[in-house]
Amino acid sequence: MDDDINEEYLPRRVPLEAHIMSKCPDARDCLHDLVLSAMVNVSNLVDFKLSYIGKTSEDDGVACLHGPSECLGNSIELCAAHLYPNPKVYLGFTMCMSRNYSEIPSEDLAKDCALEHGMDFGKLNHCLSVDDGEYSRELLKKSVQRSAEKGVTKSCTIRVDDKNWCIRDGGKWTDCENGSEVKDLVEEIYDLRWKHSSAYQE
């Protein structure tokens, strides 16, 4: 009987989104110190998404703050998320890349991180090269446009329930009204999930 329940009628998951740049130390710290640890506790309660920050250019491309190598790094991580949509998998891969962000987009780094997280590097490489790279460029363009539409310009910006929640910038946490620790984010998620559940039950 329960299998017949349409998920759209259940309490919705809480939107949790991290906006990052692949070659940014603040993104590394943000993912390591906050996002990954929180996800251990709330992965089944959230709808998680990684989005990337850049600027769309006049020739319909994307410009990245740390140059073309960052754009390629962003694309590699987006391909990982596309091919392996379980956040536990692609977040682990992205964190692995971020730990050595200065080496991005090294093929050896991507191969090592893919191996560590059970990904097929051949599939990642195909995602990057299919249609002469147009497919992965479009993934990046859409992701950058999403960040722009949300008004996000700083890596790393954490958004919860479609609102800015906390920003890691210049090695410091800023604009974190409800705290910047793992327990604060987890508590926020649980509170919002409870509110969603209460609304569902009414």
Side-chain angles (χ1 to χ4, degrees), residues 47-64:
D47 179 12
F48 182 78
K49 189 176 187 68
L50 266 181
S51 293
Y52 290 80
I53 300 168
K55 291 184 178 180
T56 53
S57 56
E58 293 181 359
D59 60 357
D60 208 32
V62 172
C64 297

Side-chain angles (χ1 to χ4, degrees), residues 37 75 94 155:
S37 297
S75 294
T94 301
S155 170

Side-chain angles (χ1 to χ4, degrees), residues 7 15 29 40-41 47 87 107 119 140 167 196 198 202:
E7 190 168 328
D29 297 342
V40 170
N41 296 284
D47 179 12
E107 182 174 314
M119 294 182 176
L140 178 57
I167 296 172
H196 294 169
S198 297
E202 290 176 356

Side-chain angles (χ1 to χ4, degrees), residues 108-120:
D108 287 341
L109 174 62
K111 282 182 176 178
D112 288 345
C113 290
L115 181 64
E116 182 177 326
H117 294 279
M119 294 182 176
D120 183 336

